[in-house]
């Protein structure tokens, strides 16, 4: 290793810098990153940079004022690393010539390869032959020749650009697409790349000719410009072409404006404005249209009645400090079906949840306050379904005492709920004469403040028995000014306000038994619980807004209060008995199981009382001896998983409910089969048995290629209710998907609904979408 003469530092530095300008042509999609530019044409070398030079031979011709180093030349200077077969510098002409298998690695990680470089020592002008660039984001650029002009532009002739992520591990991989251009000009001042006479080729065939295409270079994180168009078709809107324009307003602010032409409804304009703050972000979305063909929609619908339609959406989240956050997500529409009809992204669901929230999370406490408004998107001009939805404000606070209290854990939970509804939400199920009325919500106002304190302590007695005594106290203050439900057979409380309370004393006993062999271990854990409580006050006679969903199975067997919310509370004395098993086999198999039963020992059975929503009816808990519940699961090292959860009648052992899943995930195959069987629950509102099989599978049949599909079959109606199939290619640079989906109504009174969607995405360039490619199966 020889240290170079300081006289030639300028020479060798210029050689090293000769590859800096060859940046990858990487158009960057809009992102929340601050705009950053690195001056690749005039990089600043460290003043104290030292140069290391290694070569087989160094020749200095004093008369000709020429320096030549040849044979395995290696140069390291200021973070740049360069190898070549020969480097020559003429002090008379001020030119540098490097030849033979040139490789330059820049400090940022980009690699430049060339056969010959001929540049001036100030790197203002020069030529490079047969060059290739590989960037850190795995994009590639190759050109026959490259020319540097005036220290500002790099001109590449007969150039090819592509992205090739798999090439990092498989050099023989060939990207499906590339861009060929007669000339590519990179401007160091504007940080742009202009492709002239460019052709986009897919599978080696030109599919698009672009006279001029200008994109930002990789030093620019965001730049204004048009994005790839999107295509779609629906029966009522016609064919549509969307052209989005991205506007980089500032390092912390940008917007996307999309103009969509629809053959049957006219011109739809959308805009999304995004702003990033030091402690959060805000997104403002707007859209509007003046429909030119209202007659294309079904008569009597809101779509057919409106001409000028639009919406405004605002979504924000701000971190007040590391523990507290504040935000909102709200939408205002001219009518109740605009966003769904025009399939506006993130706003096309049946139910839009508008909310404002404040949350806090500490080491032992949490706070969550939210205000809700539910926007139901349907074609009903009277918005009946939306008026049945509640406007709600909910506050939850949970606290765990940091120190033991009487040797145990003390926790407290608080809930404040306020609900207002403009229209009664009720419906009737069953034949005439045997009808069941259900009231998911009453019109009027409902307030409830709930507070609960729980203490529990665990003891391990000699012999290994685990005992956990617990005590809980809960109180509610309730105010209601709701209209009494009509046709309700239960004892509904019609006063303006009341209070209720619940005291609970209980004990949880577990005796884990460990069984081991040379190749396996097994844990059997018998569990017994007893909870003593008074009767539930006003059982079933108060509005039930948050305890409507109820499923009794093995996962809820050992819950102290099995209701899902605060509006109902479990009363009476109850015992839960069961056994839990966990096994680990030496061959990699894992087993798990739970089985048991619940017993109502005394007092009023809350699950047997009437309720506005019939929450406890047909649940399996309405009798003194509950139904049996069981669950078993297995995980195999081969990727196979299986589970079965069931509920059986306590007298006849008839299966009331079953959920079974079988799945496999391997290198080439993924599949899942789910079977659900729910016996009719006429009081709860389900008049018929529900038996359904869902299947989904995906198969990787070649590198980057996969097919996938799913089928849902209704066993009772003997109908395939949903099915779909698709194919995808994904090498991380190119993503292509083609999806076909079909849905059928179980009573076969509605015509089949089918759709075909396609998507192709080119990394660093953009996406092209036609229709909907969202798929519920495995993909």
């Amino acid at each position: 290793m020889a240290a170079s003469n300081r006289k030639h530092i300028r020479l060798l530095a210029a050689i090293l810098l000769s590859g800096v300008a060859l940046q990858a042509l990487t158009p960057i999609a809009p992102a929340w990153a601050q705009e950053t530019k690195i001056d690749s044409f005039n990089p600043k070398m460290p003043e104290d940079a030292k140069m290391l030079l290694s070569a087989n031979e160094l020749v200095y011709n004093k008369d000709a004022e020429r320096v030549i180093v040849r044979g395995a030349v290696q140069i390291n200077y200021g973070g740049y690393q360069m190898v070549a077969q020969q480097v020559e510098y003429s002090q008379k002409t001020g030119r540098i010539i490097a030849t033979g298998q040139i490789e330059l690695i820049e400090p940022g990680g980009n690699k430049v390869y060339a056969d010959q470089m001929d540049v001036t020592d100030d790197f203002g002008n020069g030529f490079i032959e047969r060059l290739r660039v590989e960037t850190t984001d795995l994009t590639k650029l190759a050109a026959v020749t490259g020319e540097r002009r005036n220290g500002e532009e790099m001109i590449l002739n007969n150039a090819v650009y592509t992205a090739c992520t798999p090439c990092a591990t498989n050099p023989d991989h060939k990207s499906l697409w590339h861009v060929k251009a007669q000339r590519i000009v990179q401007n160091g001042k504007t940080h742009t790349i202009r492709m002239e006479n460019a052709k986009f080729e897919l599978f080696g065939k030109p599919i698009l000719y672009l006279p001029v295409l200008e994109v930002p270079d990789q030093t620019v994180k965001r730049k204004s410009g048009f994005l790839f168009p999107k295509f779609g078709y629906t029966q009522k809107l016609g064919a549509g072409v969307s052209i989005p324009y991205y506007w980089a307003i500032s390092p912390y602010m940008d917007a996307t404006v999309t103009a969509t032409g629809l053959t049957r409804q006219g011109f739809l304009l959308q805009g999304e404005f995004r702003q990033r703050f030091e402690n959060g972000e805000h997104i403002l979305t707007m859209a509007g249209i003046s429909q030119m063909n209202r007659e294309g929609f079904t008569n009597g619908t809101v779509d057919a009645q409106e001409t000028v339609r639009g919406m405004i959406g605002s979504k924000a989240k701000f971190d007040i400090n590391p523990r507290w956050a504040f935000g909102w997500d709200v939408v205002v529409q001219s009518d109740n079906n605009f966003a769904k009809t025009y399939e506006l992204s993130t706003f096309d669901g049946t139910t839009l949840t508008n909310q404002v929230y404040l949350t806090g999370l500490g080491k032992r406490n949490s706070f969550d306050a939210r205000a809700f408004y539910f926007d139901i998107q349907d074609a009903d001009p009277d918005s009946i379904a939306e008026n049945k939805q509640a406007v709600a404000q909910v506050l939850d606070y949970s606290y765990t005492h940091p120190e033991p209290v009487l040797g145990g854990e003390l926790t407290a939970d608080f809930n404040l709920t306020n609900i207002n509804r403009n229209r009664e939400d009720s419906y009737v199920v069953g034949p005439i004469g045997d009808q069941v009325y259900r009231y998911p919500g009453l019109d009027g106002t409902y307030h409830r403040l709930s507070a609960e304190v729980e203490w529990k302590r665990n003891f391990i007695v000699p012999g290994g028995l685990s005992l956990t005594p617990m005590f809980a106290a809960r109180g509610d203050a309730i105010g209601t000014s709701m209209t009494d439900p009509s046709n309700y057979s239960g004892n509904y409380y019609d006063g303006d306000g009341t209070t209720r309370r619940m005291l609970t004393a209980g004990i949880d006993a577990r005796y884990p038994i460990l069984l081991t062999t040379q190749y396996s271990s097994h844990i059997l854990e018998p569990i017994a619980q007893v909870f003593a409580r008074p009767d539930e006050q006003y059982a079933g006679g108060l509005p039930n807004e948050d305890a409507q969903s109820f499923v009794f199975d093995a996962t809820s067997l050992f819950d102290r209060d099995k209701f899902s919310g605060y509006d109902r509370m479990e009363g009476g004395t109850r015992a839960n008995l069961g056994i839990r098993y966990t096994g680990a086999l030496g061959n990699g198999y894992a087993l798990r199981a739970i089985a048991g039963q619940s017993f109502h020992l005394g007092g009023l059975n809350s699950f047997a009382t009437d309720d506005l929503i019939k929450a406890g009816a047909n649940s399996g808990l309405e009798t003194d001896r509950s139904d049996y519940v069981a669950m078993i699961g297995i995980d195999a090292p081969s990727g196979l998983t299986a589970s079965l959860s069931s509920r059986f009648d306590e007298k006849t052992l008839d299966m009331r409910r079953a959920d079974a899943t079988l799945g496999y995930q391997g290198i080439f195959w993924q599949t899942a089969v789910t079977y659900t069987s729910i016996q009719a629950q006429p009081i709860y509102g389900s008049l018929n048995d529900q038996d359904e099989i869902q299947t989904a599978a995906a198969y990787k049949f070649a590198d980057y290629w996969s097919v996938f599909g799913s089928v849902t079959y209704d066993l009772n109606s003997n109908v395939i209710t949903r099915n779909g199939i698709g194919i995808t290619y994904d090498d991380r640079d190119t993503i292509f998907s083609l999806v076909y989906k079909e849905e059928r109504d179980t009573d076969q009174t509605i015509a089949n609904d089918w759709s075909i969607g396609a998507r192709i995405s080119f990394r660093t360039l953009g996406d092209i979408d036609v229709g909907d490619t969202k798929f519920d199966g495995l993909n």
Side-chain angles (χ1 to χ4, degrees), residues 49 181 184-185 190 200 205 208 215 269 286 308 316 392 401 412 459 462 471 598 602-603 632 684 716:
I184 296 177
V185 180
T190 62
F200 180 84
K205 302 296 182 181
L208 182 64
V215 296
L269 184 64
M286 295 175 287
V308 179
H401 197 276
F459 297 90
F471 299 93
S598 183
I632 185 171
Y684 189 67
N716 297 319

Side-chain angles (χ1 to χ4, degrees), residues 491-507:
N491 184 23
Y492 178 72
Y493 173 79
D494 58 359
D496 294 333
T498 187
T499 60
R500 63 179 179 178
R501 62 189 180 277
M502 178 64 66
L503 298 175
T504 303
I507 188 167

Side-chain angles (χ1 to χ4, degrees), residues 597-759:
Q597 190 177 23
S598 183
F599 300 86
H600 179 72
L601 303 180
L604 179 66
N605 187 346
S606 294
F607 302 102
T609 59
D610 203 355
D611 183 289
L612 290 172
I613 199 66
K614 315 298 181 186
N618 306 127
S619 64
L621 288 165
E622 69 274 15
T623 55
D624 290 343
R625 291 178 55 233
S626 78
D627 289 347
Y628 296 98
V629 291
M631 183 277 292
I632 185 171
I634 182 172
D635 299 311
S638 62
L640 183 70
T641 61
S643 66
L644 172 63
S645 177
S646 300
R647 177 165 65 89
F648 303 93
D649 186 273
E650 82 278 8
K651 294 181 180 179
T652 64
L653 294 183
D654 291 340
M655 188 172 65
R656 300 299 187 190
R657 182 186 181 100
D659 296 279
T661 61
L662 177 65
Y664 173 76
Q665 185 167 359
I667 299 176
F668 301 104
W669 271 102
Q670 296 182 59
T671 185
V673 179
T674 301
Y675 168 71
T676 301
S677 175
I678 304 176
Q679 197 176 68
Q681 299 171 279
I683 301 178
Y684 189 67
S686 177
L687 301 180
N688 302 311
D689 293 347
Q690 301 177 50
D691 297 276
E692 186 178 80
I693 294 178
Q694 299 180 11
T695 65
Y699 174 60
K700 182 179 179 181
F701 61 89
D703 287 343
Y704 315 117
W705 286 96
S706 300
V707 293
F708 49 88
S710 69
V711 176
T712 301
Y713 184 71
D714 189 318
L715 295 173
N716 297 319
S717 301
N718 197 27
V719 170
I720 296 177
T721 57
R722 294 184 301 275
N723 65 280
I725 190 171
I727 186 171
T728 184
Y729 173 90
D730 184 357
D731 66 3
R732 291 177 291 174
D733 294 322
T734 307
I735 301 175
F736 169 76
S737 295
L738 183 65
V739 176
Y740 170 82
K741 297 185 293 185
E742 187 174 10
E743 294 187 10
R744 300 177 180 87
D745 187 60
T746 54
D747 60 12
Q748 302 184 28
T749 60
I750 301 176
N752 295 350
D753 183 13
W754 62 271
S755 65
I756 296 178
R759 174 178 180 250

Side-chain angles (χ1 to χ4, degrees), residues 150-382:
N150 304 321
E152 294 180 356
E153 291 184 335
M154 174 64 73
I155 300 174
L156 306 176
N157 301 307
N158 297 324
V160 178
Y161 166 74
T162 189
C164 192
T165 302
C167 294
T169 56
N170 181 14
D172 297 328
H173 177 80
K174 294 183 178 179
S175 180
L176 296 185
W177 63 271
H178 53 256
V179 179
K180 288 184 177 179
Q182 182 178 348
R183 193 170 80 148
I184 296 177
V185 180
Q186 181 182 15
N187 192 304
K189 284 189 174 181
T190 62
H191 294 270
T192 59
I193 299 170
R194 188 175 70 253
M195 305 181 193
E196 300 175 355
N197 295 324
K199 292 185 296 183
F200 180 84
E201 296 189 355
L202 185 64
F203 296 105
K205 302 296 182 181
I207 63 172
L208 182 64
Y209 170 72
L210 300 168
V212 177
L213 174 63
E214 187 172 277
V215 296
D217 66 19
Q218 74 171 40
T219 64
V220 178
K221 301 301 181 183
R222 303 180 305 141
K223 187 174 180 62
S224 301
F226 287 98
L227 305 179
F228 264 73
K230 297 182 179 181
F231 306 89
Y233 177 83
T234 62
Q235 180 182 2
K236 297 178 180 180
L237 305 181
V241 179
S242 300
I243 301 177
Y245 180 83
Y246 175 74
W247 182 20
I249 303 172
S250 75
Y252 309 103
M253 191 184 307
D254 62 8
T256 302
V257 179
T258 303
T260 302
L262 300 166
T263 56
R264 295 183 179 176
Q265 295 302 332
F267 181 74
L268 174 69
L269 184 64
Q270 304 174 65
E272 185 174 275
F273 172 80
R274 298 168 290 268
Q275 186 171 8
R276 193 76 180 254
F277 301 90
E278 184 177 353
N279 63 335
E281 64 182 26
H282 174 235
I283 301 174
L284 180 66
T285 305
M286 295 175 287
I289 190 174
S290 178
Q291 297 184 149
M292 68 179 189
N293 183 22
R294 294 185 303 171
E295 293 75 14
F297 297 102
T298 304
N299 289 332
T301 64
V302 67
D303 297 318
Q305 294 179 359
E306 301 291 336
T307 300
V308 179
R309 310 177 71 182
M311 60 82 65
I312 297 177
S314 177
K315 183 177 182 180
K317 180 181 179 181
F318 297 95
D319 295 324
I320 301 173
N321 58 40
R323 294 186 177 183
W324 287 89
F326 169 73
W328 65 84
D329 187 357
V330 296
V331 178
V332 177
Q333 301 191 77
S334 59
D335 57 82
N336 61 316
N337 206 39
F338 168 65
K340 185 177 182 180
T341 299
Y342 285 90
E343 299 180 351
L344 302 182
S345 177
T346 72
F347 298 101
D348 57 354
T350 300
T351 303
L352 297 178
T353 302
N354 298 269
Q355 61 176 313
V356 179
Y357 61 89
L358 173 66
T359 62
L361 180 63
K363 292 182 179 180
R364 289 182 170 270
N365 59 350
S366 63
F367 176 92
D368 190 293
R370 295 175 185 265
F372 294 97
Y373 173 78
F374 301 98
D375 190 354
I376 304 300
Q377 297 201 91
D378 57 25
D380 179 13
D382 298 325

Side-chain angles (χ1 to χ4, degrees), residues 695-697 708-710 774-779:
T695 65
F708 49 88
S710 69
K774 295 178 182 178
F775 193 74
D776 295 331
L778 301 172
N779 65 341

